[in-house]
């Protein structure tokens, strides 16, 4: 295996300086109580910082109790939650990594929630996982939409106070921002239906208003829906352009997620199967992009970066299996090129031959 040419190169945008181009994407852990992070989250995130990850993005963290996917999801609607996050942020920083947090509202994908809400009263459809109990949501009133925009702003402000290095808004995978900009889930007859991007644009503006000017805002989108009657990549690029114009600094590009995955519309899940979406969004917006999609093979991840299709690569399953994915990937290649393993903590140097 040839020496990595791109994974270990630094990346910077605004005041966010990353030591490498590896991102741990947000992956729900379903371990919180009353939205508060605990020892599970501390070990989960800090161990990836020990493993040298450049940017860790904390899992979907919700702006309201009825915005959680499950009762065990994280929240940032009160100061107790904020203060618990600070312990994690400080420990990640002590290990030399940067940390962002994904702020979100589940909308109609809230499980077992008696007060599930959405742009329109449209049921999510067949269930993602056995045991879910998704009810038909009620449509948000115009006033309630404004209240949720405010809730996003309040959560972002708390994240800034906790010391996070960047904020990510979750506009993908069928959650509330996505539900507003997706034509099949937004049939409103007010301005939020006439301009399906308006809610997302307002949330972006509200977030930017309480963020330091040099702190980057990431926005995650599904650049294409993989279900019947879902929007295509051209529409996804329009979503990206509108959110870029509203103030996004980085686009985190995924696909699918609003409605049931239809095999007739879903691409084979092979290594790098969603990279072309990131490439298209990068070309459409001119913004840096994060690519996702089974990039667990370090050689594939490095190739994607070298191709110019993405500026950063997110490795999810690989980092769930191995907190030291980056260190071990380098260790396995040293026999071929005698390159030293980078980002190794002093206490682990003997294990990696440095």
């Amino acid at each position: 295996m040839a020496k990595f040419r791109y994974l270990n190169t630094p990346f910077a945008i605004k005041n966010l300086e990353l030591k490498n181009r590896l991102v741990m994407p947000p992956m729900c852990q379903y371990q919180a109580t009353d939205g508060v992070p605990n020892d599970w989250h501390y070990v989960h995130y800090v161990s990836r910082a020990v493993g040298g990850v450049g940017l860790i993005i904390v899992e979907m963290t919700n702006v309201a109790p009825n915005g959680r996917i499950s009762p065990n999801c994280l929240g940032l609607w009160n100061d107790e939650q904020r203060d618990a996050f600070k312990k994690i942020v400080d420990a990640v920083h002590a290990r030399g990594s940067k940390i962002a947090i994904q702020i979100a509202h589940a909308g109609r994908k809230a499980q077992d929630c008696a007060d599930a809400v959405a742009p329109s009263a449209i049921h999510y459809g067949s269930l993602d996982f056995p045991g879910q109990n998704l009810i038909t949501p009620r449509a948000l009133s115009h006033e309630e939409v404004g209240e949720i925009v405010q809730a996003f702003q309040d959560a972002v402000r708390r994240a800034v106070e906790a010391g996070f290095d960047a904020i990510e808004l979750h506009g993908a995978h069928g959650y509330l921002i996505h539900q507003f900009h997706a034509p099949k889930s937004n049939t409103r007859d007010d301005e939020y239906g006439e301009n399906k991007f308006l809610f997302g644009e307002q949330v972006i503006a509200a977030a930017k208003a309480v963020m330091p000017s040099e702190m980057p805002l990431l926005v995650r989108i599904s650049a294409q829906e993989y279900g019947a009657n879902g929007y295509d990549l051209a529409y996804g690029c329009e979503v990206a352009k509108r959110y870029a114009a509203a103030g996004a600094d980085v686009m985190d590009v995924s696909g699918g997620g609003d409605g049931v995955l239809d095999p007739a519309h879903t691409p084979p899940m092979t290594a790098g199967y969603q990279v072309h979406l990131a490439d298209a969004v990068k070309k459409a917006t001119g913004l840096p992009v994060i690519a996702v999609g089974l990039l667990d093979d370090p050689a594939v991840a490095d190739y994607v970066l070298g191709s110019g299709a993405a500026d950063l690569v997110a490795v999810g399953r690989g980092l769930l299996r191995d907190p030291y994915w980056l260190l071990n990937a380098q260790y396995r290649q040293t026999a071929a090129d005698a390159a030293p393993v980078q980002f190794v903590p002093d206490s682990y140097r003997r294990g990696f031959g440095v």
Side-chain angles (χ1 to χ4, degrees):
M1 182 187 297
K3 181 180 178 181
F4 299 142
R5 297 181 59 192
Y6 306 101
L7 264 174
N8 285 341
T9 59
F11 176 82
I13 180 168
K14 291 192 166 182
N15 66 356
L16 180 66
E17 297 182 359
L18 306 180
K19 61 187 178 183
N20 58 51
R21 305 212 174 204
L22 176 63
V23 176
M24 179 180 179
M27 294 176 285
C28 291
Q29 298 296 294
Y30 305 108
Q31 294 282 353
T33 301
D34 297 327
V36 179
N38 52 40
D39 286 348
W40 175 274
H41 301 94
Y42 183 91
V43 172
H44 176 64
Y45 292 113
V46 177
S47 62
R48 274 67 186 182
V50 172
V53 175
L55 177 63
I56 295 164
I57 306 179
V58 170
E59 68 205 76
M60 180 174 168
T61 300
N62 303 284
V63 304
N66 72 338
R68 294 173 292 178
I69 306 170
S70 80
N72 299 116
C73 291
L74 289 171
L76 250 181
W77 62 81
N78 64 46
D79 292 350
E80 178 189 3
Q81 296 158 344
R82 175 200 63 193
D83 295 345
F85 275 116
K86 190 175 188 308
K87 178 183 176 182
I88 297 171
V89 170
D90 290 347
V92 166
H93 286 161
R95 294 304 336 150
S97 293
K98 299 298 174 67
I99 184 167
I101 187 168
Q102 185 183 75
I103 306 297
H105 191 296
R108 66 181 186 170
K109 290 183 75 175
Q111 298 177 28
D112 300 311
C113 179
D115 188 32
V117 296
S120 304
I122 302 173
H123 193 281
Y124 181 65
S126 298
L127 305 183
D128 274 346
F129 304 104
Q132 282 186 335
N133 179 25
L134 294 174
I135 64 172
T136 299
R138 64 178 180 82
L140 288 159
S141 71
H142 189 276
E143 180 181 6
E144 288 175 319
V145 174
E147 291 171 352
I148 290 180
V149 172
Q150 182 63 55
F152 268 93
Q153 184 178 72
D154 293 342
V156 170
R157 174 180 49 79
R158 290 190 178 96
V160 172
E161 292 168 351
F164 284 97
D165 301 294
I167 304 297
E168 176 167 284
L169 298 176
H170 198 352
H173 301 162
Y175 299 110
L176 190 61
I177 295 175
H178 184 159
Q179 290 164 28
F180 268 93
H181 68 234
K184 69 181 181 182
S185 54
N186 180 355
T187 59
R188 298 176 70 95
D189 58 7
D190 62 3
E191 62 263 47
Y192 292 101
E194 294 170 2
N195 175 5
K196 291 180 169 53
F197 308 110
L198 178 59
F199 177 73
E201 291 169 335
Q202 290 181 337
V203 171
I204 290 170
K208 299 282 280 192
V210 293
M211 293 169 60
S213 61
E214 287 304 304
M215 175 184 282
L217 177 67
L218 291 61
V219 177
R220 192 168 212 193
I221 64 165
S222 290
Q224 181 173 348
E225 291 182 327
Y226 298 144
N229 303 313
Y231 62 74
D232 61 11
L233 179 55
Y235 187 88
C237 285
E238 184 62 24
V239 174
K241 288 191 287 186
R242 292 291 293 266
Y243 292 169
D249 298 300
V250 178
M251 302 304 301
D252 185 356
V253 185
S254 188
D258 191 23
V260 182
L261 294 184
D262 183 342
H265 299 86
T266 304
M269 293 181 67
T270 56
Y273 75 104
Q274 297 195 111
V275 170
H276 71 288
L277 302 178
D279 186 38
V281 167
K282 182 176 182 178
K283 289 173 179 173
T285 64
L287 293 182
V289 298
I290 303 171
V292 305
L294 298 183
L295 300 177
D296 296 0
D297 184 329
V300 173
D302 199 64
Y303 175 83
V304 169
L305 292 168
S307 74
D311 302 275
L312 300 162
V313 289
V315 174
R317 292 171 176 85
L319 280 166
L320 286 180
R321 292 190 297 269
D322 182 5
Y324 312 118
W325 179 92
L326 181 63
L327 306 184
N328 285 320
Q330 295 175 85
Y331 181 71
R332 287 189 290 268
Q333 70 165 5
T334 54
D337 61 28
V341 181
Q342 297 185 51
F343 318 118
V344 180
D346 289 344
S347 299
Y348 290 0
R349 291 175 68 85
R350 283 178 296 178
F352 291 94
V354 294

